[in-house]
Amino acid sequence: MPSKRIENATDLAMSMTKLYTSALTQPMKAWSHSMTASQQMLSSLTGNTAIEPEKGDKRFRDPVWTTNPAYHALMQSYLAWSNAITGWVDSLDAAPRDKLRAKLATSLITDGLAPTNAILTNPAAMQKTLEQGGKNIVSGLQHFISDMIQNGGLPSVVDKSKFEVGGNLGTTPGKVVYSEDHLELIQYTPKTAQVWSRPVFVVPPQINKFYIWDLAPDRSIVGNLLDQGHQVFIVSWRNPTEAEADWDLDSYVAALDRATEVACEISGSPDLNVVGACSGGITSALLVALWASRGSDRAASLTLFVAILDVAGAKDTSMGLFANFETLELARMFSQSKGVLEGKDLERAFAWLRPNDLIWSYWVNNYLMGKEPSAFDILYWNADTTNLPAALHGDLLGMLESGGFTGETGPTIDGQALTLKQITCDAYIMGGETDHITPWDGTYLTRNGLGGDSTFVLSQSGHIQSLINPPGNPKARYQTNDGDHDSPESFLAGAETHEGTWWPHGVAWLDERGGRKVTAKKTLGSRKHKAISDAPGTYVRAAS
């Protein structure tokens, strides 16, 4: 890719033309794969094939798919067909990036045509229909109509009636100690008599609500930090409407700057440990770099969770593969016309990045089986979306166009040109092994651009569950590498695997940078910034 770091429509058209040309000039490859698939389909009719679904594919877990000859043949035929298409794309003489695009496009078709998605070819749905005399179909139709009207045409993924923010989510005691147009700042009640003098200041993503950090008490990152003697402040962003369309990146970083001043004043600490996740990681890094450009040392450390600051790290994601100047301009025009990029639109876009997990599995559960969606706190939070102001959306797209923090021009905040090199405080970076939104190897690239020391940790899960990873999960593990490494490959080559969650590792890292132990204050806020209301505050309750 040229130095501009992102393609335009001409680049995309040329690469896709090369792919089509490769496909048309190599018909024997298509013929070969179709013949292989045909042979496997014929063999499946006699039970002589044993094609296994990919690891992690939950669609064919019902034992009927292997014990019933007819369903087994159907599954084998489908897998042979879909594998043939993937194998054909792999065999073409085309650039790897073009192949990834083609695989993404073809997988949307093959996933949608899976036999598990139709009632007659799904054994569990057929059994349910026979057992209930078709009542599941009636319930499924009711769910379908409701989702068409109330959920933008996508299957509901969670039973929202089971959750309430402030009721069974976001319940850790605390107070709103500062409020302005962009945000509320929450200070949590210490749980220990002695606390670290340097507070932890958490910056959630602007595209979601903050209580992902404070789900149920046994799954709360905030609660875990308080248990370990840390003072915790967290930002709760306002859910913007059309009236806030002009809120840009500068204004968000300025709001964070003011909120950190409040946290320092209340805690009595001149500096703090800044923690940001996803897009909150981007604004956190901008804030720390801005401080550096002004000669301020307010940042004692910077922690980044599942955040990509180098656009090169996102180029092979499902979104990055089709991002070019023209599509970004269309996206910018779309949000400008409405004043905001609505959270529901983002939710739909993210769902189509993982259709088997976030669309088709609920299609089967809600419509074919006639069941209610499950009650899962993370999915409730994911569906409780927020909007992005058009100006902020445009600025984030601008960063993408210019290469992010490592582009030729770099971002400019408050008139200051910023670079990662300006961030010289210690940094802790965590990526998720199966993250489909911010791939871990993309998050790793941040490490090479920073101006100070950094620690990289690889958690075993995806974008959210790598973060919400409380102790007690027997499948949890993470990797570290204390040796020299400068690439994702060299990190893995010397990595040590640890059983359990990375939470104790991260807290221990913060402990080392927590300052000294002081007596915890009994009253939240200060004379200058008195408590305004109880946590979780009011901004978090605003619906999109």
Side-chain angles (χ1 to χ4, degrees), residues 108-137:
L108 292 175
I109 298 172
T110 55
D111 290 347
L113 294 178
T116 48
N117 297 335
I119 197 162
L120 293 176
T121 51
N122 183 318
M126 278 300 296
Q127 183 179 357
K128 178 71 73 176
T129 303
L130 294 174
E131 290 175 350
Q132 297 190 351
K135 291 182 179 177
N136 58 308
I137 298 177

Side-chain angles (χ1 to χ4, degrees), residues 32 47 74 79 92 179 188 194 224 265 277-278 290 292 344 354 383 391 394 407 415 487 491 510 517:
S32 174
L74 180 61
L79 293 176
L92 296 175
S179 179
Y188 286 99
Q194 296 279 307
N224 185 61
E265 189 276 329
C278 197
L290 179 64
K344 290 296 181 185
R354 295 169 54 200
S487 67
F491 170 83
L510 281 174
K517 280 296 185 80

Side-chain angles (χ1 to χ4, degrees), residues 196-201 231-233 263-264 267 269 271-274:
W196 296 107
S197 61
R198 186 174 288 138
V200 176
F201 186 92
Q231 303 183 69
V232 181
F233 293 81
C264 287
S267 65
S269 172
D271 52 13
L272 29 70
N273 292 307
V274 180

Side-chain angles (χ1 to χ4, degrees), residues 253-448:
V253 174
L256 283 179
D257 189 27
R258 293 188 289 271
T260 56
E261 285 184 12
V262 174
C264 287
E265 189 276 329
I266 291 175
S267 65
S269 172
D271 52 13
L272 29 70
N273 292 307
V274 180
V275 178
C278 197
S279 61
I282 296 173
T283 40
S284 297
L286 289 170
L287 177 65
V288 174
L290 179 64
W291 287 340
S293 72
R294 293 173 175 171
S296 168
D297 54 1
R298 191 181 299 168
S301 72
L302 174 64
T303 296
L304 298 171
F305 296 135
V306 293
I308 286 183
L309 303 186
D310 185 333
V311 170
K315 68 178 182 180
D316 288 338
T317 63
S318 301
M319 284 188 172
L321 286 170
F322 293 96
N324 57 66
F325 282 121
E326 286 74 11
T327 56
L328 296 183
E329 189 56 33
L330 282 174
R332 184 182 284 110
M333 291 172 59
F334 180 73
S335 62
Q336 287 178 343
S337 68
K338 302 175 71 173
V340 296
L341 178 62
E342 293 187 4
K344 290 296 181 185
D345 293 329
L346 277 173
E347 182 187 12
R348 279 190 283 273
F350 285 126
W352 281 108
L353 296 180
R354 295 169 54 200
N356 275 339
D357 292 335
L358 297 178
I359 295 177
W360 296 119
S361 63
Y362 294 98
W363 172 278
V364 172
N365 180 81
N366 301 2
Y367 306 154
L368 305 190
M369 305 296 286
K371 295 180 180 177
E372 296 290 337
S374 61
F376 185 29
D377 54 4
I378 290 179
L379 290 178
Y380 176 85
W381 167 81
N382 192 55
D384 189 13
T385 57
T386 61
N387 304 323
L388 274 184
L392 175 63
H393 182 223
D395 286 344
L396 292 175
L397 293 179
M399 282 188 67
L400 183 61
E401 291 169 345
S402 61
F405 249 117
T406 58
E408 294 175 357
T409 56
T412 299
I413 298 294
D414 193 28
Q416 302 287 329
L418 305 178
T419 70
L420 277 179
K421 286 294 180 190
Q422 292 169 308
I423 301 175
T424 56
C425 61
D426 292 345
Y428 187 94
I429 303 170
M430 189 278 288
E433 192 173 325
T434 56
D435 190 338
H436 64 291
I437 297 175
T438 54
W440 77 268
D441 49 355
T443 65
Y444 181 94
L445 298 181
T446 298
R447 187 173 185 273
N448 293 338

Side-chain angles (χ1 to χ4, degrees), residues 158-163 380:
V158 64
D159 182 355
K160 295 181 179 179
S161 67
K162 305 297 184 185
F163 299 100
Y380 176 85

